[in-house]
Amino acid sequence: MKQGIHPDNYRPVVFKDMSNGDMFLSRSTARSTDTVEFEGETYPVIKLEISSSSHPFYTGKSKLVDTAGRVDKFMSRYARSRK
């Protein structure tokens, strides 16, 4: 890997999927004030609404569960207009 091409704040960060609680460690420059204990170390945490562990395309599930209920709201409106 070339030296000096990454920003100074390129560091390990934990990404947490808020819909199912899964966490994974990667490197990022994203800013975060929250921290989390992961595999015995403390890392900054970035909270995600959806990731590959909860996205229907990757999981094979047909229903998308989200925190705001936008999908359910759309499906109920779509069902009413279809009748």
Side-chain angles (χ1 to χ4, degrees):
M1 185 184 331
K2 284 187 174 181
Q3 296 297 320
I5 62 171
H6 293 294
D8 294 334
N9 61 345
Y10 189 65
R11 69 207 185 291
V13 175
V14 172
F15 290 90
K16 183 176 182 179
D17 186 337
M18 299 308 288
S19 63
N20 61 6
D22 286 351
M23 295 189 292
F24 61 93
L25 183 65
S26 185
R27 295 181 64 88
S28 177
T29 59
R31 293 186 179 143
S32 175
T33 58
D34 299 331
T35 59
V36 69
E37 184 84 17
F38 184 73
E39 296 179 352
E41 296 284 331
T42 302
Y43 297 103
V45 64
I46 304 295
K47 296 176 182 173
L48 306 171
E49 285 190 31
I50 195 163
S51 70
S52 61
S53 66
S54 63
H55 194 281
F57 180 80
Y58 297 104
T59 61
K61 296 178 183 175
S62 62
K63 181 163 174 104
L64 174 66
V65 178
D66 65 334
T67 56
R70 294 182 293 245
V71 173
D72 293 331
K73 189 185 297 184
F74 170 78
M75 293 305 272
S76 66
R77 279 188 289 160
Y78 179 71
R80 279 188 274 153
S81 68
R82 233 179 137 178
K83 289 183 180 180

